[in-house]
Amino acid sequence: MAAFGASAGPAAAVTPPGAIGYQDQSFAPTTGSITGTKPESKLWYAHGSWWAIMAQPSKQNSIWRLDRGTETWADTGTIVETRTTATRADALSEPDGSLTIASHSFTDSRHDASPKPVGSSTGGYLRRYTFNGSAYVQSGSPMLIEPYTTETLVIDRDSTGALWATWTYNFQAWFSHTTPGDDGAWSPPQPVPGVGTLDSDDISSLVHFGPNGGNQIGIMVSDQTDFSEHFAVHQDGTSDLLWDSKPVPTGALSDDHINLKASADGRVFAAVKTSEDTGPRPLILLAVRSAAGVWSTDVFGTVSDKHTRAIVLLDESHRLVHMFATDGQSGGDIVEKTTSMDAPDFAPGTGTPVIHEPPDGRLNDATSTKQDVDGSTGIVVLADDDDLQTYWHLDEPLGSATPTVQFSASPAQGTAPLVVTFSDQSTGYDGQARTWSFGDGSPASNVASPTHTYTRAGTFAVTLTIAGAPTTRTVTVAAAPGGGTTPPPAATTPPAAVNPPAAPPSTPLPAPGTPAPPAGGSGATGSTTAESRDPRAPRLRGVIHLSGRRVSTTISCTRSGRASLSHRGKRLASARFTCRHGRAVVRFKLGPKGAHRLRATRKPEVSVNV
């Protein structure tokens, strides 16, 4: 181990006979399953190479590069986490070639665990890196996202350039986001709408999705108190109070395993685990949300197959879904199944072993990239044996596919002057000449990732052409204030807290009489006026969330008690609540008449008496 310095050469790979995949370096003295956790991505493909967040002998985490000629990893010496206590990270490779990493102090919460207290060494931090032609270099100082010890912390960026994060803490799922153009300005954490009190074992994840590069953020939350999965959708650039939050109809009891990907046509692909315990029942599912918002599921593995910790990757060039999982609940082989993106139908059985440690290894926690994969990238999956404290990886070629012209734009909307970075994501053209037309009459470009400034308002058709094959998407630019054009609605972002509190802050309460977004029927989410009439009672702190026949709200409290829900003076429901750590989520179940009353009005005028 002394051979590793701040920047070491390739680690010696010694793969035993009978193995599948590649045995990598030790991560000792770090302990635990270091390639976890389920929704996070530890790998990415950029600048012609695969990269990973891996541990040094000092217990610090750094950026490593895979040498595919020797199938060995080399430590670049670029640190992503200086803490030597348990940490985990999530990596986001940006279209302009830079890198964003969120790392956090880690706990495997388990069921009915008390939240870890905030301390000087806790919290999740954001770090940004630029690429200097051979390695990543940190840009600026780490920025605090949230101050807690959590099981997961997942990030993604929306079309306005805002960065989003989600995590669970203190029996609640939370989200926060930055101001577009400023990754250091984070909004105060807010509860994910439509989700009530969770088990401490539950987790959340998020993904940016939608057609033509995406215009929505989706947050999925496991809920083992009512054994369901929730999916909340937010339109880019709108108020933080506007969400569409609904349960995911999986037909099975939920567990706390989630891994998300998004396709170019606006679909969301989710690998989820259930809590089913009967042999033929589904244990691992692929849940697919159509561009119209309709969910469907396909069984990856049953209870008898004993899979766990599944991840999903998309190969759009071949129109294939690749799913990887462990074939034993406490470790085993990493197995793979593939199916059509357009008509998912996995074959029965455990799948094909793609990483095997002889004689009966205990590999677990497969992790890979947030990105799509194709013939130019192949697939690299990282796993670990936490007993022997060694990394293992798979390097799977995908082969060439039909050439596809595609690109991303970040941001795809905003106010003039708007600086947009375009990134060529085409496949199958092997470096052929390209031409960019920016749609505003400016000169064309032929670089891979041009940056263009739009100085006037309008909707511009941007076209990338390679070998005579064009593809087009739009960039929408609003006039600056006073420029004669009303800019698009901006996200309602409260100022970031300078010193984050020890307990999560609550969503601000609308002023009495403020019109709420329409309930809109089953599954809609809105906010209403709310009040606590007894001055000695706990104080209502959060907006009220409406979802079908369920209503929930968050209160601050000093003791447990009972609350009643009224609509225009008529009592609709009551519910007991349990006060935990100064907070409680009150969840009401409405009867058919009560649900109809709320759906029938655009101004619910709900009050809660505690």
Side-chain angles (χ1 to χ4, degrees):
M1 299 304 296
F4 288 89
S7 181
V14 181
T15 302
I20 302 173
Y22 302 94
Q23 181 178 345
D24 300 310
Q25 73 272 14
S26 169
F27 54 81
T30 300
T31 58
S33 193
I34 197 168
T35 56
T37 57
K38 309 110 178 177
E40 297 175 351
S41 298
K42 307 289 186 286
L43 278 68
W44 65 98
Y45 183 86
H47 311 291
S49 297
W50 278 90
W51 310 78
I53 301 168
M54 305 174 85
Q56 296 180 332
S58 65
K59 290 189 175 184
Q60 294 182 332
N61 290 334
S62 58
I63 295 175
W64 296 58
R65 177 184 175 275
L66 179 63
D67 181 341
R68 300 179 92 170
T70 60
E71 293 294 346
T72 55
W73 294 93
D75 184 4
T76 68
T78 301
I79 300 297
V80 301
E81 179 57 73
T82 58
R83 290 173 289 189
T84 56
T85 54
T87 59
R88 296 290 186 268
D90 188 42
L92 174 65
S93 181
E94 305 279 11
D96 64 359
S98 64
L99 176 69
T100 302
I101 294 178
S103 61
H104 61 102
S105 51
F106 167 76
T107 181
D108 191 357
S109 298
R110 308 294 180 179
H111 296 288
D112 301 317
S114 298
K116 300 283 187 180
V118 172
S120 59
S121 63
T122 64
Y125 287 87
L126 186 79
R127 290 173 172 86
R128 297 276 291 124
Y129 301 84
T130 57
F131 191 73
N132 66 7
S134 60
Y136 287 96
V137 179
Q138 184 170 328
S139 174
S141 301
M143 294 158 282
L144 182 69
I145 301 173
E146 44 80 15
Y148 315 111
T149 298
T150 62
E151 183 172 347
T152 61
L153 177 63
V154 182
I155 58 172
D156 209 345
R157 195 177 297 276
D158 71 16
S159 62
T160 70
L163 195 65
W164 290 72
T166 186
W167 65 94
T168 54
Y169 181 81
N170 196 20
F171 312 103
Q172 177 71 60
W174 302 90
F175 74 88
S176 180
H177 62 81
T178 65
T179 301
D182 184 359
D183 286 350
W186 286 87
S187 64
Q190 300 186 59
V192 177
V195 181
T197 302
L198 302 175
D199 187 276
S200 58
D201 189 49
D202 283 315
I203 64 172
S204 62
S205 186
L206 63 79
V207 66
H208 185 231
F209 71 99
N212 296 321
N215 57 3
Q216 297 171 305
I217 285 288
I219 300 181
M220 182 172 281
V221 182
S222 67
D223 186 345
Q224 294 173 90
T225 61
D226 64 7
F227 292 101
S228 63
E229 306 278 357
H230 301 275
F231 193 68
V233 178
H234 179 270
Q235 296 286 333
D236 294 352
T238 61
S239 166
D240 286 0
L241 299 179
L242 299 179
W243 292 80
D244 179 17
S245 183
K246 299 176 183 177
V248 180
T250 63
L253 304 177
S254 71
D255 203 341
D256 68 320
H257 298 209
I258 300 171
N259 189 261
L260 301 177
K261 296 295 184 294
S263 62
D265 60 7
R267 289 181 292 166
V268 174
F269 292 74
V272 297
K273 187 180 181 183
T274 77
S275 291
E276 300 293 327
D277 58 7
T278 305
R281 291 288 292 160
L283 185 62
I284 302 291
L285 291 170
L286 175 67
V288 182
R289 184 184 188 273
S290 72
V294 178
W295 287 94
S296 60
T297 59
D298 187 60
V299 177
F300 174 87
T302 65
V303 173
S304 298
D305 295 323
K306 301 180 181 179
H307 293 117
T308 191
R309 298 175 185 263
I311 64 171
V312 58
L313 294 173
L314 301 182
D315 176 3
E316 299 206 43
S317 64
H318 293 90
R319 307 303 297 167
L320 287 177
V321 176
H322 295 257
M323 278 184 65
F324 300 86
T326 308
D327 68 356
Q329 293 300 301
S330 299
D333 291 342
I334 304 300
V335 298
E336 178 186 15
K337 289 186 182 183
T338 62
T339 190
S340 165
M341 279 185 61
D342 303 307
D345 185 15
F346 287 107
T350 57
T352 302
V354 291
I355 314 180
H356 167 68
E357 177 188 33
D360 54 354
R362 293 172 58 83
L363 300 172
N364 212 341
D365 281 302
T367 186
S368 190
T369 177
K370 296 179 184 292
Q371 302 153 294
D372 282 358
V373 293
D374 58 35
S376 66
T377 67
I379 291 176
V380 174
V381 171
L382 192 65
D384 69 54
D385 179 338
D386 64 354
D387 288 340
L388 299 180
Q389 295 170 281
T390 53
Y391 288 109
W392 283 72
H393 81 271
L394 154 76
D395 190 349
E396 179 179 304
L398 295 179
S400 59
T402 302
T404 301
V405 179
Q406 56 190 11
F407 66 93
S408 65
S410 179
Q413 61 183 43
T415 302
L418 181 66
V419 179
V420 182
T421 298
F422 299 96
S423 180
D424 182 3
Q425 299 174 340
S426 304
T427 59
Y429 283 97
D430 298 325
Q432 295 185 50
R434 63 180 66 81
T435 301
W436 296 89
S437 173
F438 300 110
D440 61 351
S442 59
S445 173
N446 59 7
V447 301
S449 298
T451 297
H452 185 71
T453 301
Y454 291 89
T455 58
R456 57 186 174 86
T459 299
F460 303 98
V462 182
T463 301
L464 170 62
T465 303
I466 304 179
T471 190
T472 300
R473 57 173 301 178
T474 59
V475 171
T476 303
V477 182
T485 303
T486 302
T492 302
T493 308
V498 176
N499 296 307
S506 300
T507 307
L509 192 67
T514 302
S522 178
T525 300
S527 57
T528 72
T529 48
E531 59 187 26
S532 178
R533 295 181 180 177
D534 184 349
R536 299 168 300 172
R539 184 163 58 96
L540 191 64
R541 299 273 302 179
V543 299
I544 296 176
H545 303 293
L546 313 175
S547 181
R549 289 172 60 176
R550 291 170 34 175
V551 179
S552 64
T553 190
T554 304
I555 64 173
S556 61
C557 54
T558 57
R559 64 185 186 277
S560 301
R562 178 177 291 275
S564 62
L565 175 73
S566 299
H567 174 248
R568 295 184 177 177
K570 181 176 178 60
R571 181 169 168 171
L572 300 183
S574 65
R576 295 199 62 83
F577 62 87
T578 300
C579 188
R580 290 175 172 170
H581 308 285
R583 297 177 59 81
V585 176
V586 190
R587 304 174 72 177
F588 301 98
K589 293 184 178 179
L590 302 177
K593 291 183 179 179
H596 177 74
R597 286 177 66 96
L598 295 187
R599 286 197 298 266
T601 176
R602 297 181 64 85
K603 296 178 67 174
E605 299 178 14
V606 172
S607 63
V608 174
N609 303 320
V610 181

